[in-house]
Amino acid sequence: MIETNEAARIAALSELIAWSERRERLSEDRADAVAAAWRAGTRNVAELARLARVSRDTVYADLAARAIDLGSREQEISSPRKVSGVPLRGESVRAVARIADAVARPAFTHDPDDPVVRAVLAASRALEAVADVLEPPSDQGPGWTPRELLSSLAGEGEEVAHHSRRALAALAEPAELAASSDNHRQAVLHTGPQAVADGASLTLTLPTGGVITLQVGRDETGWTCLTSDSPLVAEDADSIDHLEAQAALQTLARIATRHLTDAALAEHRKDAPPGSRPRTRTIPSNGN
């Protein structure tokens, strides 16, 4: 019983420390906002206090913390500046990750094989990995450095891509997927600075100890072809095979392009490739 109470006490204190750290960051953000409003011309402390929902003493402290001289009411009002944004914070990302997980978990229980649900679940884990990269846990032991955590983030990103392709494969006809791949190939070549991978030869080492060769390519329609001299390779590529094979070829093409000289590439072109059709999306108005 004592151990349980001690564990609960430590958990409560950890939450209290986390809350105080969040409040400190919020105070810093408030001070920045108060100072920005002052520099932009709002010189009424009572108004600033009312808008920020703090006391006037807090506004005075915020302005002093940002080196603003309250005695100089006639100081020049700064011109509007481009918003520079704020740094990405682990706690902010973690809050979004928890919301995404809270949405995805019940949906996963309802239909664990839904590819969109699986993509959302992987996305929530990816956000959690981002939060860990930004603010690595200090109480988890070894293996929680940004260098190691970034591998987890990449893995979750691949999960999102995989399940997104599963969803697309279930919705689109093979002919549509083939045409899309062919159009992408033509568009990449047309723009100039990027090569395409029309195929690749893979040397596969099998769990049984054997070694076979598999060729990955595309036919005249753009559909993925898998060929091999080995009788161990069976069946044609299905839709998910096609999507993942083309994504892998695009990755290989990007790697290869980085090692090509300028003589192999052309200047970047911005005009649309021949035969392409403009894509439009209708967004309903609030009145519809």
Side-chain angles (χ1 to χ4, degrees), residues 19-273:
W19 174 83
S20 65
E21 291 176 348
R22 290 194 298 271
R23 191 177 77 161
E24 183 178 347
R25 285 195 291 268
L26 289 174
S27 298
E28 292 294 312
D29 293 343
R30 186 198 62 239
D32 290 339
V34 168
W38 179 276
R39 294 189 180 104
T42 303
R43 300 295 167 79
N44 188 313
V45 173
E47 182 181 5
L48 292 173
R50 178 179 59 82
L51 294 175
R53 297 184 181 181
V54 295
S55 68
R56 283 187 286 186
D57 287 343
T58 299
V59 172
Y60 286 129
D62 287 343
L63 294 173
R66 294 300 178 265
I68 291 178
D69 180 10
L70 297 180
S72 179
R73 296 278 175 154
E74 302 303 321
Q75 59 186 301
E76 181 181 354
I77 296 175
S78 62
S79 58
R81 293 177 295 178
K82 183 178 179 181
V83 177
S84 59
V86 297
L88 193 62
R89 295 188 174 116
E91 186 60 35
S92 300
V93 177
R94 202 178 305 282
V96 178
R98 289 169 181 163
I99 294 172
D101 183 76
V103 172
R105 289 290 173 182
F108 179 76
T109 301
H110 174 72
D111 189 354
D113 198 46
D114 186 319
V116 175
V117 172
R118 296 288 294 274
V120 174
L121 195 60
S124 71
R125 293 195 300 263
L127 287 169
E128 191 71 31
V130 171
D132 287 339
V133 168
L134 295 171
E135 297 177 5
S138 59
D139 57 349
Q140 298 295 323
W144 290 83
T145 65
R147 177 178 58 81
E148 292 160 316
L149 291 166
L150 283 169
S151 296
S152 298
L153 173 58
E156 296 299 347
E158 290 170 0
E159 280 288 301
V160 173
H162 169 70
H163 293 300
S164 299
R165 294 186 187 110
R166 283 185 57 213
L168 176 57
L171 292 176
E173 294 295 328
E176 181 184 355
L177 297 176
S180 177
S181 296
D182 190 56
N183 289 339
H184 175 79
R185 175 184 181 278
Q186 294 182 42
V188 171
L189 287 175
H190 177 76
T191 57
Q194 172 73 47
V196 298
D198 287 326
S201 180
L202 306 178
T203 301
L204 303 178
T205 300
L206 307 179
T208 57
V211 177
I212 63 174
T213 301
L214 175 68
Q215 285 77 38
V216 181
R218 53 167 66 95
D219 63 19
E220 65 279 0
T221 69
W223 188 254
T224 297
C225 298
L226 306 176
T227 58
S228 176
D229 294 334
S230 172
L232 299 176
V233 178
E235 300 183 0
D236 295 330
D238 61 14
S239 293
I240 186 63
D241 294 333
H242 167 77
L243 290 170
E244 295 204 317
Q246 295 308 311
L249 288 175
Q250 290 174 29
T251 299
L252 290 173
R254 287 195 297 271
I255 295 171
T257 298
R258 291 197 290 266
H259 296 273
L260 295 176
T261 65
D262 292 341
L265 305 172
E267 293 184 1
H268 182 75
R269 297 176 58 176
K270 295 183 179 180
D271 56 316

